[in-house]
């Protein structure tokens, strides 16, 4: 047999899979289903670099194993082709986005095809396809009809470079996630979806999910549930009240002033009472220019202006406090006003120092003062209520002091009792707030789904009738953003001017488009619909098929989506559940995030650094199987790791070895039994199966390497063992596995074979009896599993009662260890 040459075999097998439709997914096959999904890419102009396929290879390994385990596997792929990245690319390269998308998809597809994925391309989808976005628009209309969509004129995040409004999720540290520009606040007419109505369910249902903890935490923080109270502070000179939200009612006796956000509507109402109005007005104008991020950042200087002539009354002690406006208070959160407690809140402290305000401590660390860390006690164990420096600000839980009848209570208990008191007296109520903001859903850009609404002078906003969907995006020559706050669609009169579906009178179309995230909210359903009738069948009639396939069993993609796509898609799914389109509460059951592959120089792969590695080149030189195997072997799946060509060479050598020992087996088959190899074989089956299941691909591959090394040493390799090896290898390196499988006389694809099973009896560890010596004298013996390391043995031995007695009060100096035989502890 010839040497291993991937170029001669790989394309052949890819053609074979395609021609025989080996990986075409069938509906109603009667097998148990397994839906494994990749986050679909947006087809950028740069093509794929070797980092992109890592997640796709992982899902492909799982898909191939699941198929061999007897599942009907759905493993589809498509294109997230609307949105800013595609449009910005088009503008830069002076090519229409529609054309750019087609061109880029072709390139991506060509690159993907060479890796040998099992995608069922007959279910390919593209969010820019009108037959696709018909259902994006339809779902939006259902939301509109249910009152979940509203028009708002509030200032929003505006990217001056992308020339569009953005949602909170589109920002990264106050900058545009796309282009890195500083975000401005701009009042703009916009469409907003009340995703906050779903905040509680989005949070509660996280417990239904089998996701990595880190992603669950990010979701929790993004949704940001806070339990607290709203309290009314009367303004002493007039009828108005300032309502504040706090999570720390227990600190209210330490409240020394109140702060209102500059945008708060109350300020205008208090105008006649405010003695320094010009100063206040000026401050409001200044803060309008800043972004939320600039305003709330902890390190930023806390600016603000007192509302002279205004005093607020603390309902708990009837004390009068001053009132300020400051932009560290966010208008859109809570009530837009806070009670400030500088002794127990760092932001309030900074503000109080800057404006020379009273600082009053009301929480102490512990009642009995036992804690050494406490800085607030003096010799006589009296509590000193002094906050002398920033470090003294005490934000933790503790015990109340100087708090009237509540003094002496623990903080948690005090919060309950004080909330009861508040509700009883009618000064306030318990309240849960969420950090999650409503979803700003309109973009002033061309390349998105048109929002299917019209504005009629008589009827107001009217929905486009469902029968008129899809409302197609008109083809235009000028698609560049206008920057005026209007989308380029506003300039196309033939399109904008229409008739009102309700009264037949003159009306204008909505010209904003949907954000990039809209199409990806439900694409996992579209793959299922494609299997039925190529979208001719309405989404609301596919419930049976959705029920068959949902939830997605395994979902893999980048961590950057932890708070964007994954929040939006979960919300969208819950809405579809509410209107009866799907019946599961959650779309994605299990989720893993893929760690980045860095360039060999440790930097992010980027055209800018000239360090991009193209998978085409790697495949050309080493073969697709080496690429696949290497990406799975290079390190723990979810960790970032740098590319290393040496490692790639190593996996290629491994495949050559598999190829070589294959030739040594065939004619030598005999019924000899090699207990050691047999055991190792079964261990390997177990490990590879479980490791693939748990996304520990690197250790699965290293186990295969151990097995192959042992097989290589063995004078005879049973054909049955070799065949098992090929099956275990097939998900990782499918081309070579098929080739060697067929060389051995098999006619069917190895992917249609049954996945190997192990015999639990054979994987039990052999036991050895290990001698325990202390200072060279035999003191005991233990039965332990063979092959344990020094560390493992040490742990076992040191917990033995007998050993412990011998060692009592002595210090271990040294340990001498002979594997499987002896441990000598020198004391
Ligand atoms: C008094 C207090 C005392 C507070 C104390 C904290 C510590 P989360 O968990 O984020 O909900 N706050 C309320 N509304 C705000 C707004 N619109 N902009 C800025 N800050 C606001 O935090 C709630 C706490 O953040 C509230 O509790 C309030 O400060 C502040 F020792 O009230 B606290
Ligand atoms: Zn009308």
């Amino acid at each position: 047999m010839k040497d291993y040459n991937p170029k001669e075999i790989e394309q052949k097998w890819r053609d074979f899979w395609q021609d025989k439709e080996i990986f075409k997914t069938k509906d109603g096959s009667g097998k148990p289903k397994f839906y494994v999904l990749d986050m679909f890419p947006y087809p950028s102009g740069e093509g794929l670099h070797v980092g992109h396929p890592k997640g796709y290879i992982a899902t492909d390994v799982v898909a191939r194993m699941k198929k061999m385990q007897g599942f009907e596997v759905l493993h589809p792929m498509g294109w997230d082709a609307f949105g800013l990245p595609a449009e910005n690319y088009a503008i830069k390269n002076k090519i229409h986005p529609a054309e750019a998308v087609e061109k880029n998809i072709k390139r991506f597809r060509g690159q993907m095809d060479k890796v040998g994925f099992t995608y069922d391309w007959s279910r390919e989808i593209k969010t820019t396809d009108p037959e696709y976005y018909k259902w994006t628009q339809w779902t939006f209309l259902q939301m509109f009809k249910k009152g979940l969509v509203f028009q708002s004129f509030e200032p929003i995040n505006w990217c001056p470079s992308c020339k569009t409004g953005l949602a909170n999720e589109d920002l990264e540290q106050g900058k545009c996630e796309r282009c890195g520009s500083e975000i401005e606040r701009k009042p703009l007419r916009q469409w907003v979806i009340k995703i906050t109505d779903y905040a509680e369910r989005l949070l509660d249902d996280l417990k239904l999910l089998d996701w990595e903890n880190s992603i669950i935490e990010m979701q929790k923080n993004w949704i940001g549930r806070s339990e607290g109270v709203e309290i009314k502070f009367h303004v002493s000179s007039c009828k108005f009240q300032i309502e504040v939200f706090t999570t720390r009612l227990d600190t209210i006796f330490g409240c020394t002033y109140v702060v209102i956000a500059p945008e708060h509507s109350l300020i205008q109402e208090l105008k006649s009472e405010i003695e320094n109005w010009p100063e206040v007005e000026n401050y409001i104008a200044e803060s309008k220019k800043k972004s939320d991020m600039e305003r709330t950042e902890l390190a930023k200087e806390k600016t603000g202006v007192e509302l002279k002539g205004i005093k607020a009354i603390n309902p708990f002690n009837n004390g009068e406090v001053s009132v300020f406006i400051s932009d560290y208070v966010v208008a859109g959160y809570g009530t837009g006003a806070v009670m400030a407690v500088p002794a127990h809140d760092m932001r309030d402290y900074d503000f109080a120092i800057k404006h020379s305000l009273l600082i009053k401590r009301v929480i102490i660390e512990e009642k009995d003062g036992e804690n050494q860390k406490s800085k607030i006690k003096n010799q006589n164990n009296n509590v000193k209520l002094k906050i002398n420096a920033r470090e003294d600000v005490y934000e933790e839980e503790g015990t109340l002091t100087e708090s009237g009848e509540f003094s002496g209570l623990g903080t948690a208990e005090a919060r309950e009792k004080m909330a009861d008191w508040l509700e009883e007296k009618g000064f306030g109520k318990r309240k849960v707030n969420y950090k999650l903001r409503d979803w700003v859903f309109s973009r002033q850009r061309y390349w998105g789904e048109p929002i299917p609404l019209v504005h009629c002078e008589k009827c107001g906003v009217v929905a486009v009738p469902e029968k008129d969907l899809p409302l197609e995006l008109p083809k235009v020559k000028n698609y560049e953003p206008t920057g005026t706050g209007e989308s380029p669609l506003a300039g196309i009169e033939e399109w904008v001017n229409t008739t009102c579906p309700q009264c037949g009178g003159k009306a204008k179309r909505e010209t904003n488009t949907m954000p990039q995230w809209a199409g990806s909210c439900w694409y996992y359903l579209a793959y299922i619909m494609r299997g039925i009738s190529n979208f001719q069948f309405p989404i609301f009639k596919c419930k049976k098929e959705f029920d068959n396939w949902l939830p997605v069993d395994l979902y893999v993609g980048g961590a950057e989506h932890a708070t964007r796509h994954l929040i939006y898609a979960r919300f969208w799914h819950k809405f579809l559940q509410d209107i009866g389109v799907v019946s599961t509460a959650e779309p994605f059951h299990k989720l893993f995030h893929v760690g980045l592959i860095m360039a060999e120089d440790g930097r992010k792969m980027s055209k800018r650094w000239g360090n991009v590695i193209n998978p085409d080149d790697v495949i050309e030189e080493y073969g697709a199987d080496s690429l696949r195997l290497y990406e799975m072997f290079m390190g723990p799946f979810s960790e970032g790791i740098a590319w290393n060509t040496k490692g790639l060479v190593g996996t290629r050598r491994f495949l050559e070895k598999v190829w070589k020992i294959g030739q040594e087996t065939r004619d030598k088959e005999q019924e000899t039994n090699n207990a050691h190899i047999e055991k190792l074989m079964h261990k390997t089956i177990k490990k590879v199966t479980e490791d693939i299941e748990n996304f520990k691909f690197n250790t699965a591959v290293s186990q295969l390497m151990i097995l192959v090394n042992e097989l290589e040493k063995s004078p005879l390799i049973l054909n049955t063992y070799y065949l098992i090896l090929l099956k275990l290898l097939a998900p990782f390196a499918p081309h070579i596995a098929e080739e060697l499988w067929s060389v051995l006389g098999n006619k069917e694809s190895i992917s249609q074979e049954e996945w190997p099973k192990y015999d639990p009896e054979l994987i039990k560890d052999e036991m050895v009896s290990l001698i325990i010596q202390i200072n060279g004298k035999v003191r005991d013996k233990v039965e332990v599993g063979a092959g344990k390391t020094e560390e493992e043995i040490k742990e076992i031995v040191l917990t033995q009662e007998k050993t412990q007695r011998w060692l009592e009060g002595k210090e271990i100096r040294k340990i001498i260890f002979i594997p499987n035989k002896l441990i000598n502890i020198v004391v």
Side-chain angles (χ1 to χ4, degrees):
M1 198 167 155
K2 283 189 283 184
D3 285 346
Y4 171 49
N5 183 357
K7 259 191 219 147
E8 283 169 17
I9 61 167
E10 290 189 342
Q11 190 56 46
K12 180 180 79 187
W13 287 108
R14 289 194 289 267
D15 293 343
F16 176 86
W17 298 327
Q18 180 131 34
D19 294 345
K20 297 253 151 97
E21 298 193 332
I22 303 269
F23 298 108
K24 195 170 158 74
T25 308
K26 291 173 202 75
D27 279 278
S29 69
K31 294 183 191 173
K33 66 98 182 177
F34 194 85
Y35 190 173
V36 46
L37 183 68
D38 295 295
M39 289 185 189
F40 64 161
Y42 69 85
S44 79
E46 323 243 300
L48 297 174
H49 65 58
V50 286
H52 296 110
K54 184 174 162 189
Y56 310 154
I57 295 169
T59 54
D60 206 61
V61 169
V62 175
R64 284 174 180 272
M65 179 179 81
K66 288 286 168 187
K67 184 177 169 68
M68 293 173 78
Q69 286 176 332
F71 289 87
E72 187 68 45
V73 176
L74 176 55
H75 186 218
M77 184 44 93
W79 316 101
D80 189 12
F82 265 138
L84 279 179
E87 188 174 344
N88 286 345
Y89 171 85
I91 290 167
K92 203 168 135 211
N93 294 283
K94 303 215 174 350
I95 151 172
H96 194 279
E99 272 173 59
V101 159
E102 285 314 313
K103 193 177 131 227
N104 295 343
I105 287 178
K106 237 194 193 139
R107 168 106 193 271
F108 268 59
R109 176 69 197 272
Q111 289 184 295
M112 281 187 183
D113 277 347
K114 289 187 196 152
V115 188
F117 294 127
T118 57
Y119 296 129
D120 175 356
W121 286 107
S122 72
R123 295 184 186 237
E124 180 178 4
I125 50 120
K126 194 166 60 183
T127 53
T128 48
D129 185 347
E131 287 306 317
Y132 181 98
Y133 66 69
K134 172 178 180 175
W135 300 111
T136 315
Q137 291 174 329
W138 179 85
T139 310
F140 174 85
L141 281 186
Q142 309 313 307
M143 291 180 185
F144 178 75
K145 287 171 188 169
K146 289 258 184 251
L148 269 181
V149 177
F150 65 98
Q151 209 169 185
S152 158
F153 297 85
E154 295 291 306
I156 57 159
N157 310 306
W158 172 265
C159 173
S161 156
C162 292
K163 299 193 171 96
T164 181
L166 295 171
N168 265 13
E169 286 79 8
D170 296 319
L171 311 192
E172 223 149 61
Q173 261 136 33
K175 298 200 165 109
C176 172
E177 182 260 333
R178 274 289 130 215
C179 71
S181 307
E182 199 72 49
I183 291 303
E184 296 168 1
R185 306 285 297 172
K186 183 165 171 153
L188 202 66
R189 185 184 66 83
Q190 69 214 264
W191 288 103
V192 181
I193 298 182
K194 277 195 223 163
I195 191 171
T196 51
D197 279 10
Y198 285 71
E200 212 173 317
R201 281 163 70 189
L202 286 169
L203 189 70
D204 286 349
D205 288 351
L206 286 172
K207 65 175 179 295
L208 304 175
L209 303 175
D210 185 7
W211 289 13
E212 289 161 285
N213 238 340
S214 60
I215 310 265
I216 295 270
E217 278 310 304
M218 283 163 94
Q219 291 252 321
K220 277 190 186 159
N221 290 337
W222 193 260
I223 299 163
R225 185 179 196 274
S226 290
E227 261 177 46
V229 291
E230 284 177 359
I231 314 164
K232 292 176 188 133
F233 279 63
H234 280 278
V235 176
S236 50
S237 58
C238 61
K239 65 179 190 334
F240 290 109
Q241 300 170 338
I242 303 170
E243 202 164 8
V244 304
F245 172 70
T246 180
T247 48
R248 292 296 307 269
L249 177 60
D250 51 305
T251 65
I252 194 163
F253 284 88
C255 166
T256 54
Y257 58 95
V258 163
V259 193
I260 314 179
E263 298 88 340
H264 204 297
S265 59
L266 186 65
I267 297 169
Q268 300 300 326
E269 300 191 76
L270 291 173
K271 186 172 169 181
S272 59
E273 311 277 325
I274 297 172
E275 289 160 8
N276 54 339
W277 183 251
E279 194 189 356
V280 170
E281 208 175 19
N282 186 35
Y283 184 80
I284 295 172
E286 282 302 309
S287 58
K288 262 196 190 135
K289 295 181 196 154
K290 299 192 206 166
S291 68
D292 273 0
M293 200 59 185
E294 279 178 285
R295 292 171 42 160
T296 51
E297 216 175 301
L298 267 180
K300 285 272 154 65
E301 205 185 342
K302 303 283 177 290
T303 61
V305 173
E306 184 175 353
L307 302 182
K308 298 233 166 84
I310 307 284
K311 294 280 176 203
I313 299 166
N314 181 340
F316 275 83
N317 57 11
N318 291 320
E320 275 195 350
V321 293
S322 318
V323 179
F324 286 78
I325 60 168
S326 170
D327 59 16
Y328 82 89
V329 176
V330 180
Y333 185 68
T335 59
V338 304
M339 62 175 222
V341 186
H344 302 291
D345 181 293
M346 207 54 97
R347 294 165 302 178
D348 295 343
Y349 174 84
D350 291 340
F351 189 88
I353 290 294
K354 178 128 197 279
H355 301 266
S356 309
L357 295 158
L358 195 65
I359 300 172
K360 186 181 165 205
R361 178 156 198 168
V362 291
I363 310 290
I364 52 172
E365 204 157 331
E366 255 168 42
K367 215 193 292 191
D368 53 8
E370 245 174 0
N371 196 323
Q372 293 300 315
K373 279 189 298 183
S374 174
K375 289 183 187 150
I376 55 170
K377 293 170 277 121
N378 63 15
Q379 299 294 53
N380 312 321
N381 224 17
N382 289 329
V383 173
K384 257 205 291 180
L385 294 177
K386 266 267 156 52
I387 302 282
N388 294 317
R390 210 162 185 268
E391 303 86 81
D392 295 339
V393 173
Y394 186 72
E395 295 187 319
E396 318 298 310
E397 302 292 328
T399 303
L400 274 67
T401 181
E402 310 268 302
S403 297
E405 60 184 286
F406 302 99
S407 292
L409 292 178
T411 40
E413 191 188 355
R415 279 194 290 276
E416 291 308 315
K417 292 231 160 95
M418 293 166 101
D420 288 343
W421 184 90
L422 205 63
E423 288 180 338
E424 222 166 86
K425 301 270 174 186
F427 289 134
K429 57 174 191 299
R430 286 179 168 84
K431 177 85 206 273
V432 173
N433 271 326
Y434 293 91
K435 289 270 149 50
L436 186 70
R437 301 288 74 158
D438 280 328
W439 183 7
V440 174
F441 196 72
S442 40
R443 299 290 177 273
Q444 292 69 48
R445 297 284 299 235
Y446 168 68
W447 194 235
E449 300 88 344
I451 293 177
L453 297 173
V454 301
H455 301 264
C456 166
E457 277 168 27
K458 255 184 24 222
C459 315
V461 178
V462 181
V464 169
E466 284 174 27
K467 68 172 173 45
D468 295 342
L469 299 182
L471 171 61
E472 285 201 39
L473 183 66
K475 303 220 161 50
V476 295
K477 282 219 183 69
N478 275 326
Y479 46 83
E480 299 194 13
T482 63
T484 60
E486 293 246 50
S487 118
L489 291 180
I492 313 169
E493 297 211 352
E494 321 83 87
W495 190 80
V496 172
N497 294 318
T498 181
T499 51
C500 170
Q502 210 160 294
C503 70
K506 267 198 198 159
K508 285 190 186 302
R509 287 195 188 284
E510 171 62 50
T511 55
N512 284 326
T513 54
M514 295 188 191
Q516 179 190 347
W517 305 105
S520 55
C521 276
W522 66 279
Y523 74 111
Y524 56 95
L525 298 176
Y527 293 127
I528 300 173
M529 290 167 73
R530 287 280 272 137
I532 308 168
S533 70
N534 210 0
F535 288 131
Q536 299 315 307
F537 212 64
I539 191 171
F540 49 84
K541 286 192 178 167
C542 300
K543 191 161 181 180
K544 202 179 105 233
E545 285 77 10
F546 292 154
D547 281 349
N548 284 343
W549 283 111
L550 293 180
V552 171
D553 297 279
L554 174 66
Y555 195 25
V556 178
E560 71 275 17
H561 294 301
T563 49
R564 295 181 184 135
H565 160 62
L566 286 173
I567 292 268
Y568 296 143
R570 291 182 61 220
F571 154 72
W572 200 276
H573 187 92
K574 287 181 184 305
F575 175 74
L576 290 175
Q577 182 195 17
D578 289 349
I579 60 169
V581 171
V582 295
S583 32
T584 51
E586 287 286 334
F588 315 119
H589 179 63
K590 190 165 185 147
L591 178 114
F592 281 101
H593 86 271
V594 45
L596 281 185
I597 295 183
M598 310 294 185
E600 220 143 359
D601 58 11
R603 283 193 287 198
K604 222 174 140 165
M605 263 186 218
S606 154
K607 228 177 173 176
R608 181 154 44 130
W609 309 121
N611 56 8
V612 174
I613 301 175
N614 186 330
D616 295 352
D617 300 336
V618 175
I619 291 170
E620 177 67 23
E621 198 172 341
Y622 300 91
D625 284 337
S626 291
L627 172 77
R628 293 173 62 110
L629 199 63
Y630 171 60
E631 294 209 357
M632 292 300 95
F633 182 56
M634 64 194 299
F637 180 74
S638 292
E639 280 173 25
I641 190 152
W643 187 263
N644 180 348
T645 304
K646 273 198 208 123
L648 182 64
V649 173
T651 50
R652 165 72 193 246
R653 288 227 183 91
F654 166 71
L655 291 176
E656 283 165 5
K657 214 184 264 181
V658 173
W659 184 272
K660 193 174 119 257
I661 63 171
Q663 297 169 59
E664 289 160 9
T665 60
R666 256 155 284 141
D667 29 315
K668 284 189 203 161
E669 187 173 352
Q670 284 176 24
E671 281 305 311
T672 29
N673 209 352
N674 180 337
H676 165 64
I677 296 272
E678 187 176 29
K679 267 201 167 142
L680 181 62
M681 202 76 220
H682 283 265
K683 246 190 186 166
T684 305
I685 297 173
K686 179 172 194 280
K687 181 137 182 70
V688 171
T689 310
E690 290 174 357
D691 281 357
I692 291 177
E693 200 82 54
N694 296 316
F695 266 54
K696 293 181 176 161
F697 304 103
N698 56 331
T699 52
V701 175
S702 72
Q703 181 68 28
L704 287 172
M705 290 175 169
I706 291 170
L707 175 67
V708 168
N709 283 341
E710 287 302 304
L711 287 176
E712 199 188 20
K713 280 190 235 155
S714 150
L716 288 170
I717 303 167
L718 277 186
N719 213 349
T720 35
Y721 292 163
Y722 191 67
L723 294 181
I724 292 175
L725 166 67
L726 290 184
K727 288 184 193 173
L728 296 177
L729 182 67
F732 295 95
H735 309 85
I736 189 174
E738 291 278 22
E739 179 71 17
L740 292 167
W741 179 255
S742 83
V743 166
L744 290 174
N746 297 291
K747 291 277 170 290
E748 303 296 328
S749 163
I750 193 169
S751 67
Q752 287 163 318
E753 291 298 310
E754 210 180 301
W755 187 252
K757 292 199 177 76
Y758 63 89
D759 179 350
E761 280 304 311
L762 283 173
I763 55 164
K764 281 198 187 138
D765 270 335
E766 255 176 83
M767 299 303 270
V768 291
S769 112
L770 188 110
I771 293 166
I772 304 176
Q773 293 184 338
I774 311 246
N775 287 349
K777 290 208 181 84
V778 178
R779 296 297 184 192
D780 203 1
K781 258 189 204 171
V782 276
E783 292 287 311
V784 293
K788 290 217 183 310
T789 63
E790 176 171 338
E791 276 305 303
E792 289 168 320
I793 294 294
K794 201 171 121 194
E795 215 168 278
I796 294 168
V797 167
L798 292 182
T799 54
Q800 294 277 334
E801 218 193 310
K802 231 174 168 177
T803 333
Q804 280 181 345
R805 253 186 285 133
W806 283 106
L807 292 177
E808 216 179 299
K810 302 198 173 94
E811 197 189 324
I812 297 173
R813 289 259 178 83
K814 201 168 132 189
I815 287 180
I816 298 158
F817 177 67
I818 306 172
N820 295 336
K821 291 225 167 73
L822 170 147
I823 184 164
N824 181 11
I825 303 170
V826 181
V827 294

